[in-house]
C-alpha cells in the first residue's frame, strides 16, 4: 500500500511537470526516476489509470498538445513534425495516428479548426 501511494504521488508529479514529453521515455526509465521497479509501476498504471504504459503516456501527450494548441497561438504555426516533437513523440506518423485515434481528426485539421474558430 505504501509503495502504491509512493508510485501514485510520483506519477502525479510526473504529470504536473510534463515528464511524458520526454522523447523515448520507457517504463524502466520512469520507474528509475520514481525509485521503484518497472513491474510495480506498470501494474499501478494499469490498475489506477486503467491503461497500459504506452497508451497512458500517449494520452497524456495528446491532451498536453491539445491544451497547448488552444492556448499558444505561436504553436499553431509549427509543422506537424515539430508538434510531435513538442509532445514527446519521435515519429510524426505515430503522433498523427494517435492524435486521430483520440480526437477523430488529424492534427493539421485540428489546428485549422482552432484558427477558423478564432478568426470568427
Amino acid at each position: 500500500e505504501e509503495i502504491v501511494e509512493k508510485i501514485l504521488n510520483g506519477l502525479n508529479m510526473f504529470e504536473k511537470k510534463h515528464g511524458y514529453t520526454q522523447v523515448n521515455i520507457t517504463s524502466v526509465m520512469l520507474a528509475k526516476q520514481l525509485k521503484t521497479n518497472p513491474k510495480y509501476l506498470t501494474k499501478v498504471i494499469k490498475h489506477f489509470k486503467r491503461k497500459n504504459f504506452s497508451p497512458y503516456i500517449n494520452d497524456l501527450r495528446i491532451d498536453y498538445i491539445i491544451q497547448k494548441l488552444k492556448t499558444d497561438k505561436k504553436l499553431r504555426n509549427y509543422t506537424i513534425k515539430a508538434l510531435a516533437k513538442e509532445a514527446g513523440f519521435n515519429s510524426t506518423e505515430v503522433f498523427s495516428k494517435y492524435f486521430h485515434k483520440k480526437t477523430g481528426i488529424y492534427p493539421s485539421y485540428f489546428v485549422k479548426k482552432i484558427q477558423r474558430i478564432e478568426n470568427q
Side-chain angles (χ1 to χ4, degrees):
E1 222 172 85
E2 203 175 292
I3 293 169
V4 170
E5 189 75 26
K6 190 180 137 208
I7 293 171
L8 286 172
N9 288 337
L11 286 174
N12 282 337
M13 285 309 297
F14 171 75
E15 290 176 19
K16 277 187 184 133
K17 292 182 176 180
H18 310 295
Y20 47 82
T21 59
Q22 180 184 339
V23 178
N24 296 326
I25 185 126
T26 64
S27 58
V28 173
M29 290 164 64
L30 183 55
K32 200 176 277 184
Q33 284 175 28
L34 301 182
K35 294 176 178 59
T36 188
N37 83 36
K39 262 201 171 40
Y40 286 160
L41 174 66
T42 54
K43 277 187 176 179
V44 168
I45 290 171
K46 195 172 184 109
H47 181 78
F48 290 93
K49 307 292 182 179
R50 307 228 180 276
K51 297 173 188 163
N52 289 325
F53 183 77
S54 289
Y56 165 69
I57 295 294
N58 289 339
D59 281 347
L60 288 170
R61 288 172 170 170
I62 298 300
D63 290 343
Y64 169 78
I65 206 68
I66 286 171
Q67 272 315 113
K68 292 279 282 188
L69 283 166
K70 286 179 177 177
T71 57
D72 186 350
K73 286 183 181 183
K74 188 177 70 182
L75 212 63
R76 297 176 201 160
N77 297 318
Y78 281 27
T79 62
I80 300 305
K81 186 176 184 173
L83 287 175
K85 198 171 180 67
E86 179 79 21
F89 288 89
N90 60 2
S91 158
T92 309
E93 289 157 52
V94 173
F95 168 67
S96 287
K97 280 182 185 168
Y98 209 89
F99 193 101
H100 183 268
K101 183 180 171 190
K102 190 160 168 63
T103 65
I105 59 174
Y106 288 100
S108 53
Y109 292 114
F110 184 81
V111 171
K112 284 179 185 143
K113 199 173 167 183
I114 288 176
Q115 288 171 332
R116 213 176 305 121
I117 290 167
E118 202 138 284
N119 291 334
Q120 285 180 347

